[in-house]
Amino acid sequence: MKQLDPYFESKNEKFSMGWTDMREVLGRILNPGCNTLLICRSGRATLLLNGKRHLFRRNDILNIYADGYMSPVFIRTSEDFSTFCCMMSGEFAKEVSYNVSSPFWDLLTAYPLLRPDRKQAEGIELWLKQMEWLECNIAKDRLYPFVRDYI
C-alpha cells in the first residue's frame, strides 16, 4: 500500500497514485502541497473539513487543493479503512482540468466531499479497478497519458 509522500512536489513527478490507510496523518492537517484526490475504498474515517465533522466512507470522493483551502484533518479511521490516492503536481492538475468542464471544478470547490449515489458508486468502482490495473500493468514511464485521460 503506497503511503502519502509529503515531499511529492520536490521530486518533479507529475503524479503519484496508490492506496493508503491514512494512519500516518491522523490528527494532522492534511496539506500535501499538491492537488490530491481521495476515494474511499473500504471502511470509514472521521475527518474535520471546514470546521465540521464528516464521515468519509466507501466511494466518497474528497478533493484537496494545493493551496490548502479547506485542508482536512483525519481524526480516526476504522481498521479496514483504505483510500485510493492520486497526488497531482500543479502542471498535471492543469492538464487534467483542461479536459473537464468548469462547472465540475466549481462543484468540487463548493463541495470538496462528494457522496455519489448508488449508480455513480458502481461507476466509481469500475473506474478504480481500471486505475489499479493501469498502475499494476503499465510501466511508470508510460502511465502518464493513461492517468491524465482517466482522472
Side-chain angles (χ1 to χ4, degrees), residues 34 36 57 65 100 119 130 149:
C34 60
T36 303
R57 56 185 183 223
Y65 290 100
V100 179
K119 188 110 175 133
Q130 290 175 340
D149 294 343

Short mmCIF file of all heavy atoms in Angstrom, two decimals, residues 34 36 57 65 100 119 130 149:
data_model
loop_
_atom_site.label_atom_id
_atom_site.label_comp_id
_atom_site.label_asym_id
_atom_site.label_seq_id
_atom_site.Cartn_x
_atom_site.Cartn_y
_atom_site.Cartn_z
N CYS A 34 0.00 19.69 -2.97
CA CYS A 34 -0.36 19.43 -4.36
C CYS A 34 -1.84 19.08 -4.39
O CYS A 34 -2.45 18.82 -3.36
CB CYS A 34 0.47 18.28 -4.93
SG CYS A 34 0.26 16.73 -4.05
N THR A 36 -4.83 16.80 -4.58
CA THR A 36 -4.93 15.40 -4.19
C THR A 36 -6.38 14.94 -4.26
O THR A 36 -7.27 15.62 -3.78
CB THR A 36 -4.39 15.20 -2.75
OG1 THR A 36 -3.04 15.68 -2.69
CG2 THR A 36 -4.42 13.75 -2.34
N ARG A 57 -16.69 7.57 3.77
CA ARG A 57 -16.97 6.14 3.65
C ARG A 57 -16.85 5.69 2.20
O ARG A 57 -16.65 6.49 1.30
CB ARG A 57 -18.34 5.83 4.23
CG ARG A 57 -19.43 6.63 3.60
CD ARG A 57 -20.76 6.39 4.29
NE ARG A 57 -21.75 7.14 3.56
CZ ARG A 57 -22.70 7.85 4.11
NH1 ARG A 57 -22.83 7.90 5.40
NH2 ARG A 57 -23.55 8.50 3.36
N TYR A 65 -7.11 20.75 -2.47
CA TYR A 65 -6.37 21.66 -3.36
C TYR A 65 -4.98 21.96 -2.81
O TYR A 65 -4.75 21.94 -1.60
CB TYR A 65 -7.13 22.97 -3.54
CG TYR A 65 -8.38 22.80 -4.36
CD1 TYR A 65 -9.63 22.71 -3.76
CD2 TYR A 65 -8.31 22.70 -5.74
CE1 TYR A 65 -10.78 22.53 -4.51
CE2 TYR A 65 -9.45 22.53 -6.50
CZ TYR A 65 -10.67 22.45 -5.88
OH TYR A 65 -11.80 22.27 -6.63
N VAL A 100 -11.83 18.69 -18.41
CA VAL A 100 -13.05 18.60 -17.62
C VAL A 100 -13.74 19.96 -17.62
O VAL A 100 -13.10 21.00 -17.50
CB VAL A 100 -12.72 18.16 -16.17
CG1 VAL A 100 -13.98 18.08 -15.34
CG2 VAL A 100 -12.00 16.83 -16.18
N LYS A 119 -25.81 4.37 -8.32
CA LYS A 119 -25.42 4.20 -9.73
C LYS A 119 -24.02 4.81 -9.98
O LYS A 119 -23.19 4.20 -10.65
CB LYS A 119 -26.46 4.87 -10.64
CG LYS A 119 -26.25 4.59 -12.08
CD LYS A 119 -27.35 3.70 -12.57
CE LYS A 119 -27.23 3.49 -14.04
NZ LYS A 119 -27.37 2.11 -14.40
N GLN A 130 -10.00 -0.05 -13.01
CA GLN A 130 -9.18 0.30 -14.17
C GLN A 130 -7.89 0.99 -13.74
O GLN A 130 -6.82 0.69 -14.27
CB GLN A 130 -9.96 1.20 -15.12
CG GLN A 130 -11.08 0.51 -15.83
CD GLN A 130 -11.91 1.48 -16.66
OE1 GLN A 130 -11.90 2.68 -16.45
NE2 GLN A 130 -12.65 0.93 -17.61
N ASP A 149 -5.76 11.03 -18.86
CA ASP A 149 -7.04 10.92 -19.54
C ASP A 149 -8.13 10.27 -18.69
O ASP A 149 -9.30 10.47 -18.94
CB ASP A 149 -6.88 10.16 -20.85
CG ASP A 149 -6.03 10.93 -21.85
OD1 ASP A 149 -5.83 12.15 -21.67
OD2 ASP A 149 -5.53 10.30 -22.80
#
